[in-house]
Amino acid sequence: MQILYTAHASATGGRENGHSKTDDGKVDVKLSTPKEMGGSGGEGTNPEQLFATGYAACFLGAMKAAAGKDHVKLPDDSKVTASVGFGKRDDGEGFGLKVGLAAHVPGMDAEKVKDIMDRAHIICPYSHATRGNVDVDVSLG
């Protein structure tokens, strides 16, 4: 694989009262653990929120690429919402994620959007990375 871009980020302190930032300073966030996970629920974000924002943006980009192969432009107000659930794995050995991706594409035929989403799920590197490891549900939103 030819690498086109590499992102660099560091975290200190972990989930609770931690801090994470990219080497260029464009992302610089406090971390805190949600109360549902036994944390303080502080003002910081958490890895699941960061993953959800990245996956939603990447998947929408993949949808645009898939649509472009058909010479179709998605409406400017198209939106993908990612839901990332965190929980104990069934094997009892650790934790896992479950992802939902819901696309809202106003004014476009639902069957066409579903086809674009199915192809985007193949194109998207986040989908590729999670395939076989994370349950990802793709739906119209």
Side-chain angles (χ1 to χ4, degrees):
M1 179 172 77
Q2 179 187 2
I3 301 299
L4 302 175
Y5 169 78
T6 301
H8 301 275
S10 300
T12 57
R15 288 178 168 273
E16 188 63 29
N17 298 317
H19 182 255
S20 187
K21 67 179 181 178
T22 56
D23 63 341
D24 63 6
K26 291 181 180 181
V27 176
D28 191 340
V29 295
K30 292 180 183 179
L31 301 171
S32 59
T33 304
K35 289 183 179 182
E36 298 87 345
M37 293 171 58
S40 67
E43 64 185 45
T45 189
N46 60 66
E48 292 71 35
Q49 289 175 322
L50 296 169
F51 185 65
T53 59
Y55 203 161
C58 190
F59 195 80
L60 182 55
M63 286 180 63
K64 289 180 177 184
K69 288 182 178 186
D70 295 340
H71 307 287
V72 172
K73 182 184 181 299
L74 295 182
D76 290 340
D77 56 349
S78 297
K79 178 170 80 170
V80 171
T81 301
S83 303
V84 176
F86 174 98
K88 292 182 180 179
R89 292 194 326 243
D90 292 338
D91 65 8
E93 294 295 322
F95 301 95
L97 301 174
K98 183 174 184 177
V99 175
L101 297 170
H104 176 69
V105 183
M108 190 174 279
D109 176 71
E111 288 295 319
K112 181 64 176 171
V113 174
K114 183 67 174 131
D115 175 62
I116 290 169
M117 291 180 74
D118 289 344
R119 290 185 289 127
H121 200 37
I122 295 167
I123 295 169
C124 178
Y126 279 64
S127 292
H128 181 73
T130 59
R131 192 166 289 114
N133 298 307
V134 175
D135 181 17
V136 178
D137 179 51
V138 178
S139 65
L140 297 174

